[in-house]
Structure formats: C-alpha cells, structure tokens
Amino acid sequence: MQLRRMLILLVAGISAASLSVAGCTNQQGNVQADAQTPATTTQFQETPKADVPYVPTSQEVVNAMLQLAQVSKNDVVYDLGSGDGRIPITAAQKYGVRRAVGVEINPELVQESKANAQKAGVSDRVTFQQQDLFQTQFDDATVVTLYLLPDVNLRLRPKLLQELKPGTRIVSHAFDMGEWKPQKTVQVQGSTLYLWVVPEQVPNNLLQ
C-alpha cells in the first residue's frame, strides 16, 4: 500500500513539472511573438503654430496702410500674416495693384481668404500662400505690409533688408523695428503706422 502511494506521488510530481515547463515555453513563445509583431504607431498631423495671434485689422487702418505706402497699379504687394486676406484684397480691388500676395500659416484662414478674394472678384490678381513667413520668398515685392509683434519684426528685419530691392516700401501696423527708424509715422484709430523704405546701403547693425 505504501509503495503504491509513493508511485502515485511520483507520477503527480512528474506531471506537475511537465505542466510548469509547458507554461514557461508558452510564455517565452508569447514574448517572442510580441517582439516580432511590429508596434503600431499613431501619427498625428500637427497644426502649424503661428508666432502671432490673429487680430483683424479694421478697414480704415487697411486703407491707411496702403495710402501710407502710396500703393499704385504698378505695385506687387505682400502681406505677411495676412489673416482673412483683407489687405491683399483691398490692394487689388481699390488700388488696382498688379499683384497681391497674402502669406498666412493658418490653413483655415487661407481658405477663408481665397473665398473672400473670389467674392470680391480679384482672384486673378490675388493669391494666398499657407507658409511660414520666414520661409517665404518675397524679393519681387515693391510693398510689404505687416501686423506682427515687436520681436517678430526684429527677427524679420534682416530678411527684409537682405531680400527686398532698394526702394521697396514697408508698412507696419502698431509695431516698429527697433534701431531702424521709420521715415514716417501716422496715427489711425489709436494705432501707429510706420513706413520704411529699403535703402541702397544697409547699415550692418540692422542686419543683426
């Protein structure tokens, strides 16, 4: 009887050991399978971040900016940070410019601008680019308009002076360009508008 009990215990021990080994093997197999299965990564498309919040410019200020630049039908106007497109559209519609370009990083505002140009009937002379203004080529401009921020103006100043032709007029709503003194300033609706003209010889301190 005692011998039989010992045999039963021996068989049970062997079975338990086999199950334990089998369990370890299955776990190793699962780990290997997981390692061979490629991880699924979810990619999110980031909305471009604007350096400047969108604040619409009143139509009276828009007109004053274009008048300050003495915009005419021979001009090519670039508006950097063009929002809903009102400056390029007004430049084409009211002042008859040869071409106007709005540069805006927000894709929704670009679509709104295109729709506004279509409604105004100036889509043949007005275009809008969804782009970072620091990556934009605007060396064909004769007039550049801005409504940015002081630090952005200062960062942009070397690019403007290096890429724009002498004689190009630059008008900024509300903010100046540090050491680069404007040729003229005007007050409209409590805001200051600044006018600069790109010189033939640019002082080195303005390129920094």
Side-chain angles (χ1 to χ4, degrees):
M1 186 73 176
Q2 187 174 2
L3 179 60
R4 182 179 178 185
R5 182 178 296 175
M6 290 177 64
L7 288 172
I8 291 172
L9 290 174
L10 181 60
V11 171
I14 293 171
S15 299
S18 299
L19 289 173
S20 177
V21 171
C24 290
T25 303
N26 287 337
Q27 289 179 359
Q28 291 176 354
N30 290 336
V31 170
Q32 292 175 353
D34 290 342
Q36 292 174 357
T37 302
T40 302
T41 57
T42 303
Q43 296 182 347
F44 297 95
Q45 185 174 1
E46 294 185 0
T47 301
K49 183 180 178 181
D51 290 326
V52 180
Y54 171 52
V55 179
T57 301
S58 71
Q59 191 60 46
E60 184 176 349
V61 173
V62 168
N63 292 334
M65 292 175 73
L66 296 172
Q67 289 169 3
L68 183 58
Q70 297 183 336
V71 170
S72 73
K73 63 181 181 180
N74 296 318
D75 282 313
V76 175
V77 177
Y78 274 71
D79 184 29
L80 305 182
S82 55
D84 64 2
R86 62 185 64 188
I87 290 180
I89 290 170
T90 302
Q93 192 176 41
K94 185 173 181 178
Y95 295 88
V97 297
R98 181 156 49 95
R99 189 161 62 90
V101 180
V103 181
E104 172 60 52
I105 200 168
N106 187 320
E108 295 179 358
L109 287 173
V110 171
Q111 292 305 314
E112 181 181 348
S113 299
K114 291 179 178 179
N116 291 339
Q118 186 72 34
K119 291 177 185 177
V122 294
S123 295
D124 59 328
R125 285 175 292 144
V126 178
T127 58
F128 295 95
Q129 302 174 6
Q130 183 196 335
Q131 196 169 25
D132 183 335
L133 59 88
F134 287 95
Q135 304 299 321
T136 302
Q137 184 175 352
F138 42 68
D139 55 354
D140 59 330
T142 59
V143 174
V144 173
T145 57
L146 316 167
Y147 185 18
L148 303 172
L149 289 173
D151 64 313
V152 181
N153 276 8
L154 290 179
R155 286 164 51 204
L156 188 62
R157 186 180 71 190
K159 179 177 173 65
L160 293 168
L161 288 168
Q162 288 172 336
E163 295 187 11
L164 294 174
K165 298 180 294 293
T168 302
R169 291 95 74 201
I170 302 170
V171 176
S172 174
H173 176 193
F175 303 112
D176 64 15
M177 291 202 188
E179 296 175 85
W180 191 13
K181 302 306 179 185
Q183 291 197 359
K184 189 175 182 181
T185 61
V186 298
Q187 296 289 325
V188 181
Q189 291 187 336
S191 294
T192 303
L193 306 183
Y194 300 87
L195 169 69
W196 299 267
V197 178
V198 177
E200 290 282 351
Q201 299 293 329
V202 179
N204 289 330
N205 65 304
L206 299 182
L207 297 175
Q208 301 173 359

